[in-house]
Every structure is written in C-alpha cells, then in structure tokens.
Amino acid sequence: MRYRVLGSTGIEVSVHCLGTMMFGYVGNPDHDDCARIVHAALDRGINFVDTADMYSAGESEQIVGKALRGRRDDVVLATKVHFQMGEGRNRSGNSRRWITRAVEDSLRRLQTDWIDLYQVHRPDHTTDIEETLGVLGDLVRQGKIRAFGCSTFPAEEIVEAHHVAERRALGRFRTEQPPYSILARGIESSVLPVCQRYGMGVMVWSPLASGFLSGRYRKGQPVDLSSGRAALNPARFDPAIPANAVKLDAAEQLADLAAGLGRSLPELAVAFTVAHPAVTSVIIGPRTMEQLDGLLAGASLTLDDATLDRIDEIVPPGTNLYQPDGAWRPPALSDSAWRRRPLADRSAG
C-alpha cells in the first residue's frame, strides 16, 4: 500500500481509504464482522478510515469506535457532519450550534478524544460560511479535531470558503471529498483544478459509480429492480431508460478493456481514480470481507497512457454520464423558484 500526504496537512494517508457507509443496519448489521473488515484493512496497510455521523444513524461510528480499540494511534480517522440526526429542529446543517453538539456526539460514538479530519458533508445555504469556518477553527484550537475539510462542494463554494477564510483570518478547508469515477468525471473540469490550486487533499467516493462499474449490471442482461440499490431508485438502473443504456454501454466497453489487461472491471475503476494527480486517496466501501479482498486486489494496478487514452475515448474527460447518487445539487437547479421570476414579471414588455 502506498501513502500520500493529505494536501498541506502533513498527514500521510494510504492511497486506499476504508469507507464505512455500509457498516450498520443500512449494509452489514453484524458489528463483529464489520470489525474484522476494519482489522483486515489495517493489516493490509490501510491507515485511513472514513465514516460519518449519519451513516446508519450513528451506528457506523459506533462500530468503527469499537473496531479501533487498541489501534487508534495508528489510524487517520475521518468523519463528517451536516445531515439530520434524529427528530427535531436544529439537528442538522453547518451552524455553530449544531456542529458544536454533533462533534461531541461523534467523539463519544467513536470512543476517541480527537478526530483527525472533520468534514462538512454538504453545503448549507442557510448558514454563513464564516460561521462554519469559525466553529471548525475553534474545534482545532480545543484539540477535538486536527484538520477540517468539505465534501461534495462545487468549485465556486470551495473558492468562496477560501476567500472568506483569508479575509477573516480563519482556518480553511484542507480537503475535499467529491464523487469521482470513470462514469462521473465532471469534477475534472473545475473541482479538481481548484483543489490543486489551494493545495487541498482529495479523497474521492463512489469509484464504482453506484455499482455500474462493479460488474453486477451488464448490457443485455436483465436488472433486478426489486433489490439492492436498484430498489431504492429504479429509474437510475432501468436499462429501458436511454441514459442508463448509455452507462451500460460504456461499462461494457470498460469491462472489455479490463479483461484485456487481465483485470476485473472494479480493479480498473478504482485504479483510474488514483491516477489523477489531484487525488490523494480513493474511498472503498466494502460490505463484506469478499468485497474488501476484491477491491484491494487492484491496489498494485498501474494504468499506462494507452489504457488511460482508451478510457478517455469511452468517456471523455470532464464528462458525467450520470449524476452520482447522493451528489449535492445547488438550489438553483433543484428548486424551480430560483430560476423563475414572479409570473407578472416574466415578460419583456
């Protein structure tokens, strides 16, 4: 396992990061089995573990906390804050009030005195970014977190946060955690260049493109829309929908390319993400030990220029063949009220 410095933090992390979104009732509810996955990953050289307070409503953090007993000092531990936790108001978002409470809850579930990387899971347009940066800086000074970053922020939001930090003499985001795969290359246009400009570490998620690069979905084969991810969002996986047919066609070409290298499609997909010079680490999120073994099998795979050129032909740089599950959409796109004047004011005369 290779290691890279996480942006300008000086922290060395493994190029594969163990993601734990599938730990808990959402994926694998067996706490002992999840702990075995964590230990196996650490034994294989991974020193970077990523979780979030909202994964299985806090259960993932609890599992990670138990699994890291006796090994905490050897691990760079990352978690996130933003999404709704429990019922009631003011239990989500990026406000000082909520982050101050949420970090204590995460520390308790993780059974640790500090978090190495605390990340804002999504943007929050109801909270001034100055307030968010201010409370995160306070947590660094209190010793509760070592560094902080953002996750799935568009390039313009990252730039604004850095400008505010500079103007107000506040701590700045040191990392960004965006979705990135061969089928979702949109961040190559602006997010990754912006991260490079500001010296930010980048840990990417969903390298298997919500399962389209796992080998489970193949062109010409029926798709079970009643189970797994497909059951949660059938329209995203139904092969009769033209946009999905395009993804399946690209995945088929990529599978052929991987086979020509004597590798699996998931190995090719993961190796592609870590070949970009802006990417520090790729998050792999196994639910089972078998999945962990399969993902780590490609750790030594080096993609040469000819292979990367062929990938560029199948999916051109900067192209999104789909919007990744869970990716943030700005209100200007998701809320029509942001794009429409009042009815009486929509004409020119």
Side-chain angles (χ1 to χ4, degrees), residues 216-236:
R216 179 177 181 179
Y217 307 105
R218 300 298 298 267
K219 183 178 180 180
Q221 297 181 4
V223 176
D224 181 4
L225 299 178
S226 63
S227 64
R229 288 179 179 269
L232 299 175
N233 191 348
R236 186 178 288 277

Side-chain angles (χ1 to χ4, degrees), residues 176-189:
E176 159 63 11
Q177 185 181 137
Y180 185 45
S181 71
I182 299 176
L183 300 186
R185 303 182 61 176
I187 65 169
E188 294 174 341
S189 297

